[in-house]
Amino acid sequence: ITLQDLTSRLTRLKKAGVRDVILFGGEPSIHPEIIAIVRTAKKLGMKPTLITNGYLLGKDRQFVRKLKKAGLRQVNIQFDTFNRDVHQQLRGNDYVDVKLKAIENVINEKIDCEPIMTVTALNLQEVPKILDFALSLGPYVKEVLFQGVVDEGRYLLDSHKIIDREEILHALVNSHHYKHVFQKSDFWPVPGVYSWGLYMHPDCVIMGGVLQHRNKSVQSLTHYAHFEKLYKAIQKNQTKKNFFTKYVHFGFHILKSLKLSIIPFFIALLKDKFFHKDITISETGVVTSPQTPRTLTIIAIEAYNSAKFQDIEKTTLCLTKQVLHDTEVCACVYNSRNKEHPNSRVSVKARNEI
């Protein structure tokens, strides 16, 4: 896609009221005009996010600096494992050290960073370790995403290696480090906020939160927030789409759902972010920081549709479904079969059209 074509599309999206734009691929960082694309989105008043494997960002901090200057708001980096052999099996390379360097470069340029872990039986035991790592990175990591796979796309794994959302949650809440921090009831489905145009099926994503204090003690966000109260308020605010209902009213109920005891933590967190100093990450994932990180991190665990488990309502609401030229619906854009695979349900022509 050319810069001119993309600029035209971004302009139409801006006129339609779109404020956030996510750049993904393929690998968006290799696009020759990626800096200009980010700059264009920023000039239009959008907030650009890059979803990347992190390779180029780990090889060249100057590249990250240019992205920051162009207006990049956030980088979501695939990070599945600290084990190079497992990474080779999952991704076909052993670029663990490069990804760690990418995360270091992004955070040190003061860009928000979200690690994304794709979980299979090969790396399920590392779920608590990845969360530990995310918490050690400081206030520029506001969210970590754990996502399962289905037996489609790149992940044509043996069935016993496929992990679902409940197994990921179980691995986290029953781990040695977090079994006294979380219960399963601390994780809630992401609600549909219709006034924002956010139509979520309750079985897509569950979210929880964790606060890490300066003494490295951690607590579930449920100690500081009334999620049930927030959800009930959202249910009453599902019709009108004006500025008041989208931002003022919704923001008010978020604040109302929080306990006053979290306010000093928020103030300290903003101070830490403003005075952030460079961190270093070793090849084994050990983070060295001038100050002990204080963090508030959202934990998201995502479940994808698959051909074997097809929820029609969920597919209707899904943001990433594919509708093919022959009207067949592909369960999820992230897990559609590779076009080179002989059993592919996605033709080359259809994939090019999507």
Side-chain angles (χ1 to χ4, degrees):
I1 185 170
T2 66
L3 176 60
Q4 183 179 7
D5 187 19
L6 193 53
T7 299
S8 176
R9 296 187 189 189
L10 288 172
T11 302
R12 292 199 302 271
L13 289 171
K14 176 62 179 178
K15 289 179 179 178
V18 174
R19 300 183 63 194
D20 297 276
V21 57
I22 300 175
L23 305 170
F24 66 103
E27 176 50 49
S29 66
I30 64 175
H31 193 288
E33 300 281 4
I34 187 62
I35 303 294
I37 292 170
V38 171
R39 186 181 299 113
T40 299
K42 178 65 176 178
K43 283 183 177 179
L44 287 169
M46 294 173 156
K47 298 177 181 179
T49 294
L50 188 72
I51 299 181
T52 174
N53 60 25
Y55 184 81
L56 292 181
L57 284 71
K59 287 292 186 179
D60 185 1
R61 182 169 174 176
Q62 274 297 119
F63 178 54
V64 181
R65 189 165 293 151
K66 290 177 181 177
L67 287 167
K68 165 76 173 182
K69 187 176 180 180
L72 188 64
R73 183 197 66 165
Q74 179 170 317
V75 177
N76 298 356
I77 297 180
Q78 301 163 354
F79 192 82
D80 305 325
T81 177
F82 292 98
N83 186 307
R84 285 161 176 75
D85 291 335
V86 172
H87 199 279
Q88 183 72 49
Q89 294 180 65
L90 289 176
R91 300 290 180 182
N93 59 64
D94 61 353
Y95 297 153
V96 175
D97 55 339
V98 181
K99 289 175 179 270
L100 288 170
K101 190 65 178 178
I103 293 171
E104 177 186 302
N105 288 343
V106 168
I107 291 173
N108 287 341
E109 289 301 325
K110 297 185 178 181
I111 303 173
D112 287 335
C113 181
E114 178 182 327
I116 300 176
M117 180 185 185
T118 298
V119 186
T120 74
L122 298 171
N123 61 346
L124 178 64
Q125 72 281 358
E126 291 189 77
V127 167
K129 187 176 180 181
I130 295 291
L131 181 56
D132 286 344
F133 173 64
L135 295 179
S136 71
L137 293 169
Y140 279 93
V141 174
K142 298 186 294 186
E143 183 174 347
V144 58
L145 170 62
F146 300 100
Q147 57 185 23
V149 297
V150 295
D151 52 348
E152 303 182 32
R154 291 171 296 175
Y155 296 101
L156 293 172
L157 301 174
D158 296 335
S159 59
H160 67 279
K161 294 180 181 177
I162 300 296
I163 298 298
D164 63 25
R165 189 183 67 188
E166 298 308 309
E167 290 174 284
I168 298 172
L169 179 60
H170 182 84
L172 181 60
V173 301
N174 290 286
S175 64
H176 174 73
H177 192 167
Y178 293 105
K179 64 183 179 182
H180 299 301
V181 176
F182 296 121
Q183 300 179 38
K184 288 188 176 182
S185 58
D186 291 327
F187 291 81
W188 289 68
V190 176
V193 185
Y194 300 146
S195 60
W196 282 19
L198 180 61
Y199 304 96
M200 294 290 291
H201 189 281
D203 197 36
C204 273
V205 185
I206 55 173
M207 298 183 79
V210 58
L211 287 82
Q212 178 174 264
H213 300 273
R214 271 285 172 82
N215 62 4
K216 292 191 175 182
S217 64
V218 291
Q219 290 179 293
S220 170
L221 184 57
T222 51
H223 288 284
Y224 297 92
H226 300 282
F227 282 100
E228 187 173 354
K229 182 188 294 186
L230 175 62
Y231 274 54
K232 287 180 178 179
I234 291 173
Q235 287 299 316
K236 295 178 181 178
N237 183 35
Q238 298 288 23
T239 53
K240 297 179 181 178
K241 293 184 180 180
N242 54 46
F243 181 85
F244 180 80
T245 55
K246 286 180 72 173
Y247 303 110
V248 179
H249 188 262
F250 186 71
F252 170 76
H253 283 294
I254 289 179
L255 292 174
K256 192 176 178 181
S257 70
L258 298 175
K259 299 178 182 178
L260 293 177
S261 55
I262 201 174
I263 293 177
F265 184 88
F266 269 138
I267 295 172
L269 192 67
L270 290 172
K271 181 181 177 182
D272 287 352
K273 195 167 185 177
F274 185 79
F275 292 105
H276 170 80
K277 296 180 181 179
D278 280 7
I279 63 171
T280 57
I281 305 176
S282 72
E283 292 186 357
T284 57
V286 176
V287 179
T288 302
S289 173
Q291 58 191 44
T292 305
R294 178 168 25 209
T295 59
L296 170 57
T297 305
I298 299 299
I299 304 164
I301 306 176
E302 198 162 36
Y304 288 120
N305 261 333
S306 72
K308 293 181 179 177
F309 177 74
Q310 187 65 52
D311 185 317
I312 299 301
E313 181 186 2
K314 184 175 177 182
T315 302
T316 303
L317 299 178
C318 183
L319 302 177
T320 58
K321 60 182 177 291
Q322 293 181 359
V323 181
L324 309 183
H325 70 288
D326 56 1
T327 71
E328 182 179 11
V329 176
C330 188
C332 178
V333 69
Y334 293 116
N335 290 287
S336 55
R337 288 191 183 276
N338 189 296
K339 63 186 179 184
E340 285 80 24
H341 192 273
N343 295 325
S344 174
R345 294 181 295 119
V346 183
S347 68
V348 175
K349 178 184 176 183
R351 183 173 289 275
N352 290 335
E353 290 175 351
I354 293 169

